[in-house]
Amino acid sequence: MAAWGRAGRERAGVRASPVRWSAALWLLAAAVCLLPGSSSGAGSARVTKGVDAQAQLPYWQVADRGMSLRLVQRLPDQTRAFFMARGFTPPQAEVIAQRCVFQTVFRNTSKGTAPSPLSYDLHEWVVHYRGRRRAMLTRQAWPHMWRGKAPSQPAQIALNWALLPTRQRYQPGDFNWGMSVFGLEPGAKFDLDVVWHQYGKTRTVRIKEIQCAPDIHPTPGRQ
């Protein structure tokens, strides 16, 4: 199923399918819901955590004046299946599945309040992991990730379309979604500096203790 955002009608992947939860997933979601929200660097921005109603997996969300961003876990199994269905071999799909993938929804919510364009560049975002700063794995990074035989050209095009665009500009009311890849192992916890530009200012929020999905194998639930 193709997914489209209103930002330039750019296709950017699909939303995660619901899963039937195992005990491990229930414990993880419960822990997420019990953690208090936190934010830094952007004044009025709110960071919340919970369970996404559609994916039935944990999410982390930033909401500020004129914008919202939601990061929803994707299980490695979901990522494997998605890319194998698009021409990747099992070893090639495994490279992506083991790199901490989130489904990401970014919205310019300023249309009904104080309209303002919004832009971002993922190269400005910073992953904080074990005391080090790391970059995300954007579209530009993936051609250098393959060892041995690279995926076919059609498969690499499918990957590019599935990923959240590296740079984007949203008009009021626009939105987009796609996969964000953080380059960490399943189950890893990290902080993320989210940066965007709106109302003539550069805004930054740090989301703390995001957790990559564990590499577990629950039974897919009914749609």
Side-chain angles (χ1 to χ4, degrees), residues 44-217:
S44 62
R46 293 175 56 247
V47 176
T48 56
K49 307 167 187 177
V51 176
D52 185 84
Q54 180 175 352
Q56 290 294 291
L57 288 165
Y59 74 80
W60 287 256
Q61 180 164 314
V62 176
D64 196 16
R65 180 192 179 203
M67 71 81 72
S68 72
L69 170 75
R70 177 173 287 202
L71 300 169
V72 184
Q73 281 185 354
R74 283 183 61 92
L75 296 175
D77 270 358
Q78 293 173 305
T79 301
R80 291 182 186 107
F82 181 90
F83 287 106
M84 287 174 63
R86 285 155 180 81
F88 287 78
T89 66
Q92 291 165 348
E94 193 69 14
V95 172
I96 308 171
Q98 293 292 320
R99 294 301 191 276
C100 187
V101 182
F102 278 75
Q103 190 67 21
T104 305
V105 185
F106 209 147
R107 299 178 183 271
N108 182 337
T109 61
S110 70
K111 186 174 182 179
T113 53
S116 173
L118 178 157
S119 64
Y120 72 83
D121 183 342
L122 296 182
H123 292 134
E124 296 180 326
W125 296 23
V126 180
V127 176
H128 298 270
Y129 180 64
R130 294 183 176 176
R132 295 188 176 184
R133 296 162 59 95
R134 303 167 62 117
M136 295 174 60
L137 295 179
T138 63
R139 290 176 175 177
Q140 292 72 25
W142 279 100
H144 309 288
M145 292 292 296
W146 308 111
R147 296 178 180 177
K149 186 178 180 181
S152 67
Q153 190 64 25
Q156 293 192 55
I157 291 172
L159 172 60
N160 279 342
W161 278 115
L163 295 174
L164 189 72
T166 304
R167 301 177 184 85
Q168 189 63 278
R169 179 178 175 87
Y170 301 123
Q171 295 301 320
D174 281 354
F175 63 93
N176 206 1
W177 61 88
M179 299 182 195
S180 297
V181 187
F182 295 97
L184 304 174
E185 64 272 15
K189 290 185 178 181
F190 64 99
D191 296 348
L192 177 67
D193 289 346
V194 177
V195 182
W196 73 100
H197 308 275
Q198 195 174 25
Y199 299 111
K201 297 180 179 180
T202 298
R203 309 282 283 171
T204 303
V205 170
R206 179 168 295 184
I207 309 176
K208 297 183 177 180
E209 294 191 336
I210 302 173
Q211 185 167 14
C212 306
D215 196 358
I216 56 177
H217 313 285

